[in-house]
Each structure stands twice: as structure tokens, then as C-alpha cells.
Amino acid sequence: MKKTGLIAFLMMLLGILPMEAQIRGNHINVMVVPDHQDWNYAIGETAQFKVSVLKSSTLLDNVTVDYEAGPEMYPEVKKQGVVLKDGTMTWKGRMTKPGFYRLSVTAHVAGKEYKGSCTAAFSPEQLKPTTVEPKDFDQFWNKTLEEARWTVLNAQRELLPERSTEEVNVYQVSFQNIRWGSRTYGILSVPTKPGKYPALLRVPGAGVRPYSGDTYTAPGKAIVLEIGIHGVDVTQPQQFYDNLMNGALNCYWNFGMDSRDDSYYKRVIVGCVRAVDYIASLPEWDGKTIGVTGASQGGFLSYATAALDKRITFVAAVHPALCDHTASLQGIACGWPHYFYKVEKGKRSEERVLASRYYDGVNFVRRIQCPTWVSFGYNDDVVPPTTAYATYNTLTCPKTLSIYQQTAHFWYQEQWDEWQAWMKKQMNIE
């Protein structure tokens, strides 16, 4: 009976686990592809897009679609209820000035929606940002950091043995931020073998979440500090952070944005620089190499940290947000969180426009001097490539651009691998 029961239990597992593991992709796919392999066109050229609605990788007849086309975030054409008899259609688009042109298609099949997009670039290397640089930008940030450093770090750390490995000791750490009692929390990974090591600071994307620490980039070969930005313990259950995101920290990116002094991001940016102070205080640091990296909001924070702290020796930013906020005031795609998008003329806050310039990635990248690697996708509708590219064009440091055209606000495995390899090279890690 015991043997029979064991066999039955194993068969149950074999029946259930594959069902969970094999949910992958969609039966229906909407493919939108351009006629240029690199998705790039010169101003005045015409891009031709081919749309295919597929079921089991074959064309689906008599499918109903909606589509919109035009400069990203500002489509000029919108159509609904178009029937594609053979599951295909073509579309042509062109631009007379630098930018990105997007065709987005939604297919309606069996009561569900399936979406596909393609975004063509028109002379993107000519894109320029719209934001204005405040005359006292450096004075403001230098004074802010000077005043913050009047407060000692008063660093604390606690070993997390369940996360540590033979190669790496993992700690939850905290240190003072912009004033006494305001702390930044993070997860620190330090090689167990005595020695001096390069360091990497990981800064977060938007949201409120716990952090597990980095034991994968270069285990046993580098110090890695992964920080949160909200001044709370980063090892609590997920529900703790969900409650904050839905409550006290809901839409925190809007907090205080009518004043450069009251912006939520003032404390956040100071916390990133103080994280560099903390790394530099570690006896295991080699005294030479500190990189900073992050995606989305973390891309912006990477820019800001490198601009304000010359100890940063390299930057890796993926689909960086919070860049060129005021572009939408000129009818151009703007960076997340889209502060002025769809704001009626005459109803925008001039105070917010002025404040936004002190928290715009464009004005930070002008000050970066170290090697910088930037990657993003053309189909990103959270961080528009218009802003990412215009900001990249503003960089005057040694720089590398890696485009993954089809990605939206997510990663491809190859993109992740390239990112990790580039950072290891900067840290002289094989």
C-alpha cells in the first residue's frame, strides 16, 4: 500500500507540475515588423510595416483589429473594427523631423485582446532634449549634499546567514541619509575571502519592494550594495510593501514636485550618493572602482549618482526614466512619470516645470565623465525611446549604446547577459 501510495503521489506531481511549468506565451500573436532590419530610417524616408495576426504561427483569417499610428504618445491615426480577411495588412509612415513613429495593433479574438507594436526610428542620432538647465543646478546639489553630510552615516549592518554563501557574506545594512533619523536601507554582499575588491551600487526601479541582494553578478569577486529608496527595512514580507505602495507611498513620484526642495526625489538622490559614501568606508573596497547601475527609475538614479559623485567609475543604465520631462509641452514624447503629458495648456504648474529641471536625467548626464553603457528598446511605452535617445545623445563621456529594438519596458536574456558582461569588464572581473 505504501509503495502504491508513493507511486500515485509521484504521478500526481508529474501531472500537476508540467501544467504549471508549460504555460508559456500565447496561441495568438500579433506581429508588426518594419522593412528595415535595424528599424532605422532617415528623415523623409517612408517606413513600411507589415502586420500579421497569427494563430499557431499561421495567419488567422477574418480577424478584427484596432490600430493607431503616428509619433509615439501622439498618434495621428486611430482606426477601430478593421477586418483583415487574410490576417495581414500593411502600413506606411514617415517623419519630417527626428523621432520615433509607432504602429500599434490590437486584435480581438474570442473575446480577448492581443497586441503588437513596431516603432521606427527616424534619424534618432539627431534628437535633442527640450529641458532647460537651471543656472544654479550645481549650486543646489552641492549645497544639498554638503548639508546632508553634516549628518554622520552611523552605519549599521546585520548578517543574513540564510542568504550568505561560501563565497559571499550577505547583510542588511542601513545608514543615515539627508538628516538625522532618515535612513537608507539595503542589502550588502561582501566576498568572504579577505582582500580588496571593486564595488557595484545597484539602485532600484520604481515601486516599493523587498530586496534579496546580489550574489550572482560576481560572487566572491566584488562588493555589491543593493539599496531601497523609501527609508524602510528591505527584508519584510511582500505584503508590507504592497500596503505601503497602495497607501502612504501611492504615487510617491509626484510628492512635492511643485518645489525643488520638497521633491521626494531629493532625499532619494542624496541616499544614492550616501550609499557611495558607505561603500567607500568599507575596508574591503579597493579604493578605485565603484560602478552604479539600474533600470527605469534606477537608470535615472544611476545618471544622477554618477553626475554628483566623481568616485563613480562606470554607469550602466537600462531604459532610464525621468528624462526630458518638458518634452510633452512641445508635443513630443516625454519620460516617465509623464508629469506634463495630457496637461491642458494654461493648467500646468509653472512651479512644477521649474522644479522638474532639477530632477531631469538630461541635466545630470551633462555632468557624467566616466564610461557609460545605455540600453533600451524602441517599443517601450513607459520610457519612450525618444527621451532615452535624446538623453543618450547628450552624454559627452565615453559611451556605448545597445539597442534591443523589439523590447518594451522589459529585458531580453541577451540584453541582460550583455549588461552583466559589460559591468564585469569595467570591474576587471573575468
Side-chain angles (χ1 to χ4, degrees), residues 136-316:
D136 65 345
F137 185 90
D138 291 319
Q139 179 184 354
F140 170 74
W141 282 110
N142 289 339
K143 182 180 179 182
T144 296
L145 291 172
E146 179 184 1
E147 292 177 351
R149 285 179 171 134
W150 292 346
T151 302
V152 297
L153 282 174
N154 187 28
Q156 301 172 6
R157 73 180 184 180
E158 174 190 0
L159 180 67
L160 302 174
E162 70 281 4
R163 301 189 188 184
S164 301
T165 69
E166 290 184 1
E167 296 175 305
V168 177
N169 284 325
V170 179
Y171 307 86
Q172 176 171 234
V173 302
S174 71
F175 44 86
Q176 305 248 60
N177 186 324
I178 199 168
R179 62 183 180 278
W180 185 265
S182 172
R183 300 187 75 82
T184 293
Y185 290 78
I187 303 294
L188 175 70
S189 301
V190 181
T192 55
K193 183 179 178 180
K196 299 289 186 178
Y197 298 94
L200 177 66
L201 172 63
R202 289 189 176 276
V203 288
V208 188
R209 64 182 70 84
Y211 295 93
S212 57
D214 180 342
T215 58
Y216 52 85
T217 295
K221 298 180 180 180
I223 299 164
V224 186
L225 175 60
E226 182 178 40
I227 64 169
I229 61 170
H230 301 298
V232 296
D233 184 321
V234 293
T235 60
Q236 295 298 312
Q238 182 63 49
Q239 189 61 50
F240 173 84
Y241 306 99
D242 292 344
N243 291 341
L244 283 173
M245 189 63 186
N246 292 318
L249 293 179
N250 184 250
C251 294
Y252 66 83
W253 44 83
N254 288 317
F255 293 177
M257 277 306 295
D258 286 334
S259 166
R260 69 177 188 179
D261 293 306
D262 297 334
S263 169
Y264 191 85
Y265 281 111
K266 181 179 180 181
R267 178 190 173 281
V268 171
I269 292 170
V270 170
C272 293
V273 176
R274 302 227 71 189
V276 180
D277 291 343
Y278 175 70
I279 291 172
S281 75
L282 297 174
E284 297 89 352
W285 180 49
D286 67 7
K288 297 182 295 183
T289 303
I290 305 180
V292 61
T293 188
S296 194
Q297 174 188 263
F300 160 72
L301 293 176
S302 297
Y303 285 159
T305 305
L308 297 176
D309 197 319
K310 301 311 177 188
R311 290 172 295 183
I312 295 295
T313 56
F314 67 89
V315 179

Side-chain angles (χ1 to χ4, degrees), residues 38-61:
D38 61 2
W39 298 36
N40 291 337
Y41 299 80
I43 294 171
E45 279 190 288
T46 297
Q48 182 164 297
F49 304 89
K50 182 178 180 180
V51 177
S52 303
V53 182
L54 306 170
K55 179 179 181 180
S56 298
S57 298
T58 58
L59 292 171
L60 183 62
D61 294 337

